Amino acid sequence: MDLGIRGKKAIVCASSRGLGKGCALALAEAGCDLTVNGRDEKVLARTATEIRDRFGVEVAEVPGDVADPAVQKQLLAAAPQVDILVNNNGGPPYRPFSELNRDSILKGVTNNMVAPLELVQAVIGGMADRGFGRIVNITSLSVYVPIPGLDLSSGARAGLTSFLAGVARTVADKNVTINHMLPGKLDTDRLRGPHEAGTVEDPVAGAARRARLAADVPAKRLGSPEEFGQVCAFLCSVHAGYLTGQNIMIDGGLYVSAF
Ligand SMILES: NC(=O)c1ccc[n+]([C@@H]2O[C@H](COP(=O)([O-])OP(=O)(O)OC[C@H]3O[C@@H](n4cnc5c(N)ncnc54)[C@H](OP(=O)(O)O)[C@@H]3O)[C@@H](O)[C@H]2O)c1
């Protein structure tokens, strides 16, 4: 399917690995020029090269923490007339509620609610003026299904979702959409848990880990960043202009509900 977004400019935050990278790859495949981001410069450069080599699109690299206002400024400068914004960031680390304090709560809310809101605020006016905009926020299934120890992640992302529910309706008539993608269990470094960068997982242990994690998923497997990215690209396509303010679960059926 031609997604109709060839030549569009996209910022994909936190896109050097994992789900962000899956979105960047799919948008590049659709012909978008990209601005990619991640804190590790070397990994970011490798991803940017891979995308250029595979799809021949323009890729600007902005290394740094996406919640840092200076880095946000650089992202926006790299794509001054941005058509597509994919908000993503690392999630807060697992931490029991009793161990959180004011600083850690404010940090989590800054990273997973305030930072994406700031970027939306920066781009939405221009998108509305130009009559095209697609904003996708990568949140989490934990917005619907709380996970003990990831309460901060769930709360900050639910806050982002509710905040933008109203904003989305103010720009719907300008062909600007705002949607959220809720990953369930997708096979990325995050699901592998803490490990040294660059360490290769033992294949037998990796298969056992994936099987354990997938046991309660109706699809009986973990999702891939690539298939996640393809849904993102569709949400950013010209065909999805009447789809806004929605939470799209990418979870292999893990969230059990008729509606
Ligand atoms: N995978 C899942 O099944 C799943 C489920 C629910 C929710 N999620 C959420 O989805 C998001 C993406 O997860 P993932 O699985 O793709 O994680 P991942 O495999 O760990 O990848 C995270 C990516 O974000 C970058 N990043 C992390 N912190 C950053 C920061 N402060 N500024 C800029 N870039 C940053 C990382 O690069 P650097 O480390 O070099 O910065 C990397 O490119 C996370 O918020 C996660 O909580 C994932």
Side-chain angles (χ1 to χ4, degrees), residues 48-253:
T49 302
E50 179 189 338
I51 296 172
R52 283 184 205 106
D53 290 352
R54 283 179 62 184
F55 302 110
V57 296
E58 284 178 25
V59 185
E61 299 158 41
V62 175
D65 182 344
V66 68
D68 177 345
V71 174
Q72 294 190 354
K73 219 170 154 186
Q74 289 171 42
L75 282 168
L76 297 165
Q81 296 220 335
V82 67
D83 305 294
I84 293 166
L85 169 66
V86 180
N87 269 318
N88 185 33
N89 200 346
Y94 174 89
R95 194 171 291 170
F97 176 55
S98 58
E99 291 177 17
L100 294 171
N101 57 31
R102 175 178 282 236
D103 283 348
S104 54
I105 292 174
L106 286 176
K107 186 162 188 259
V109 170
T110 301
N111 288 345
N112 293 109
M113 180 178 171
V114 178
L117 281 178
E118 287 171 330
L119 287 172
V120 171
Q121 203 179 34
V123 302
I124 200 166
M127 288 177 171
D129 289 347
R130 293 188 294 278
F132 182 93
R134 299 285 184 266
I135 297 171
V136 174
N137 302 297
I138 299 178
T139 62
S140 173
L141 192 64
S142 74
V143 169
Y144 283 0
V145 186
I147 302 171
L150 290 178
D151 317 280
L152 181 52
S153 164
S154 311
R157 298 176 206 261
L160 175 70
T161 306
S162 296
F163 198 121
L164 290 176
V167 177
R169 273 75 185 179
T170 67
V171 289
D173 65 333
K174 304 288 189 305
N175 192 22
V176 178
T177 67
I178 305 180
N179 291 293
H180 313 278
M181 291 181 70
L182 284 56
K185 295 186 187 184
L186 289 105
D187 199 8
T188 66
D189 285 352
R190 177 159 172 98
L191 247 62
R192 208 176 133 188
H195 60 272
E196 293 245 334
T199 48
V200 180
E201 189 175 29
D202 171 69
V204 177
R209 176 186 61 83
R210 281 192 287 276
R212 196 174 60 247
L213 285 169
D216 62 346
V217 180
K220 294 298 170 216
R221 65 178 178 87
L222 302 181
S224 75
E226 290 75 17
E227 64 190 329
F228 186 90
Q230 293 296 337
V231 178
C232 176
F234 178 74
L235 290 175
C236 296
S237 74
V238 292
H239 311 298
Y242 208 54
L243 198 171
T244 194
Q246 299 302 309
N247 287 289
I248 314 290
M249 287 170 277
I250 313 292
D251 70 349

